Amino acid sequence: MIEFQPSAWSRGSYLNVGACWLWEEKDFLSFDAGYRVAPFQPFTDTAEFTAVAQALAEQAAAEVLALRDRFPTPGHVRALMRRHPNPRIREHMHAGITAGLAGAYDEGRRHFALAAAETDQAPWVDALKQCGAELVPLLQTGGGFEAEIAAIVTRTRRALRLPEWQSSPLIPPG
């Protein structure tokens, strides 16, 4: 995901680049890994800012390629979640899903249990807890876990009006 973020106080742009895990069913994009990669670049005049914007676009493209190299599979996201310093419900959900995709069902159940123990009161928290509760019984050989995660990714892509994958929605083609 690339965002050329304006400022509320001045004309110009920040550059934010990150990965959005689509196995959380949602109708919005989120920076699940990555975020601000360039400080605010002020607009001074059109000619000067054209060059600045071109440089930001080139940096954005390089950052996207770096993210693709960093996270070529859900297993790489799993490694990131294992190192998270202060996991909350979203991190436990991502860790549970990536563990389940790796066939580490006990680890997945442990993370879903930690997600279920979240004490924050908010509708989105309840929705994540419900999702985790529905995924736990699928965490077994032949339980349909991967198929359900693929279905969630497909629904999320549709909600975001993203193109459909021609192959597995969990592993990008190419």
Side-chain angles (χ1 to χ4, degrees), residues 5 13 21 28 32 42 62 71 74-75 80 85 88 126 135 137 141 149-150:
Q5 180 186 19
S13 183
W21 313 137
F28 59 91
D32 297 318
F71 303 114
L80 173 70
R88 301 289 308 261
D126 294 339
L135 291 172
T141 303
I149 299 303

Side-chain angles (χ1 to χ4, degrees), residues 115 131 141 168:
C131 178
T141 303
S168 167

Side-chain angles (χ1 to χ4, degrees), residues 1-2 11 19 30-31 42 54 61 65 67 76 91 93-94 98 106 111 131 137 144 169 173:
M1 189 166 80
I2 298 170
R11 292 174 33 170
S30 57
F31 288 94
Q54 180 65 38
L65 294 176
L67 279 169
H76 291 82
E91 290 80 22
M93 289 295 294
H94 297 319
T98 57
D106 288 340
H111 281 290
C131 178

Side-chain angles (χ1 to χ4, degrees), residues 13-79:
S13 183
Y14 296 96
L15 175 60
N16 304 322
V17 180
C20 178
W21 313 137
L22 299 179
W23 50 63
E24 177 185 344
E25 195 163 346
K26 55 193 173 184
D27 61 359
F28 59 91
L29 294 168
S30 57
F31 288 94
D32 297 318
Y35 186 57
R36 175 120 338 121
V37 296
F40 185 73
Q41 301 296 310
F43 176 89
T44 50
D45 62 61
T46 302
E48 182 181 321
F49 197 74
T50 298
V52 169
Q54 180 65 38
L56 288 174
E58 290 171 6
Q59 183 179 358
E63 293 287 339
V64 166
L65 294 176
L67 279 169
R68 288 179 181 170
D69 285 345
R70 186 175 171 201
F71 303 114
T73 69
H76 291 82
V77 179
R78 179 180 177 210

